[in-house]
């Protein structure tokens, strides 16, 4: 994508907001709005239609988890009509709120002590539709919190996947990129993208992060594997 990347930063700490804004602006990323709580974040997204929202998970009033749920449930889109992506900001990686936000459709999360280069890379990666979720952290999150999230109602769709699609889903859950999937399965990258798109459509999932969580919670992949 060549269009200007537009971001909203939502965090109750002004110093965090200004720091992230400076880092992103220095890399040519346009921070079009800031918010200090979940309500303000939702209002900013409705008004500005950014590509990516950096959302603090714990804020006073409406927290980042509830704001993320509402934002994604309404199908928020960018000025170009693409889905608005959410990256969760957190102090701790093993946080049940983070897991719940990922389950709701957030595209990944960052620790607040993230390096400038990683922050910029993450925003660009997520804007382009990729997941921001390290396999090792995914396994730890699932292992710790999956039993507390209740039973999903969409496991029944798993048998609709072809053998190849199940194979792709397992490898995707283990953290392989499209290029790595293509090499592993001896397929073209375009074919891999088609398989991933079909998996998401059949399972009713928003993106790769939800697919990873689905694979673990359905038992297709075990946290210890």
């Amino acid at each position: 994508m060549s269009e200007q990347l537009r971001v909203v930063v939502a965090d109750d700490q002004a110093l965090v907001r200004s720091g992230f804004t400076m880092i992103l602006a220095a890399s040519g990323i346009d921070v079009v709005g800031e918010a200090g709580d979940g309500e303000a974040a939702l209002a900013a997204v409705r008004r500005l239609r950014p590509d990516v929202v950096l959302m603090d998970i714990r804020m006073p009033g409406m927290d980042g988890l509830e704001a993320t749920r509402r934002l994604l449930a309404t199908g928020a889109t960018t000025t170009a009509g693409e889905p608005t992506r959410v990256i969760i900001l957190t102090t701790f990686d093993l946080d049940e709120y983070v897991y719940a936000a990922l389950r709701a459709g957030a595209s990944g999360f960052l620790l607040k002590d993230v390096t400038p280069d990683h922050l910029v890379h993450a925003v660009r990666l997520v804007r382009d539709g990729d997941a921001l979720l390290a396999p090792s952290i995914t396994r730890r999150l699932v292992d710790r919190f999956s039993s507390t999230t209740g039973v999903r109602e969409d496991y029944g769709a798993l048998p609709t996947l072809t053998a190849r699609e199940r194979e792709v889903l397992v490898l995707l859950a283990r953290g392989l990129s499209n290029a790595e999937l293509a090499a592993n399965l001896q397929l073209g990258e375009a074919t891999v993208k088609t398989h991933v798109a079909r998996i998401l459509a059949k399972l009713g999932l928003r993106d790769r992060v939800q697919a990873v969580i689905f694979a673990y919670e359905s038992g297709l992949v075990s946290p210890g594997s």
Side-chain angles (χ1 to χ4, degrees), residues 99-127:
Y99 187 71
L102 295 173
R103 209 166 177 268
S107 295
F109 72 92
L110 292 170
L111 295 178
K112 288 190 178 182
D113 61 358
V114 62
T115 65
D117 286 347
H118 190 191
L119 172 64
V120 171
H121 172 73
V123 169
R124 289 178 172 153
L125 186 77
V126 165
R127 190 277 297 268

Side-chain angles (χ1 to χ4, degrees), residues 20-138:
F20 277 29
T21 297
M22 289 174 59
I23 292 168
L24 295 172
S27 296
I29 295 172
D30 189 8
V31 178
V32 295
E34 297 182 14
D37 58 47
E39 289 277 11
L42 289 177
V45 170
R46 284 193 294 267
R47 185 175 74 256
L48 301 167
R49 300 181 68 187
D51 299 294
V52 177
V53 181
L54 291 171
M55 183 82 77
D56 183 14
I57 195 66
R58 295 181 183 269
M59 294 184 283
M62 182 189 294
D63 60 30
L65 172 56
E66 182 60 25
T68 297
R69 283 174 171 158
R70 294 191 188 188
L71 187 160
L72 298 176
T74 60
T77 59
T78 70
T79 54
E82 296 293 328
T84 293
R85 310 286 181 178
V86 177
I87 298 176
I88 297 299
L89 301 175
T90 181
T91 306
F92 307 103
D93 54 2
L94 287 182
D95 185 329
E96 61 184 322
Y97 275 44
V98 171
Y99 187 71
L102 295 173
R103 209 166 177 268
S107 295
F109 72 92
L110 292 170
L111 295 178
K112 288 190 178 182
D113 61 358
V114 62
T115 65
D117 286 347
H118 190 191
L119 172 64
V120 171
H121 172 73
V123 169
R124 289 178 172 153
L125 186 77
V126 165
R127 190 277 297 268
D128 292 339
D130 285 320
L132 180 67
L133 207 57
S136 60
I137 295 175
T138 307

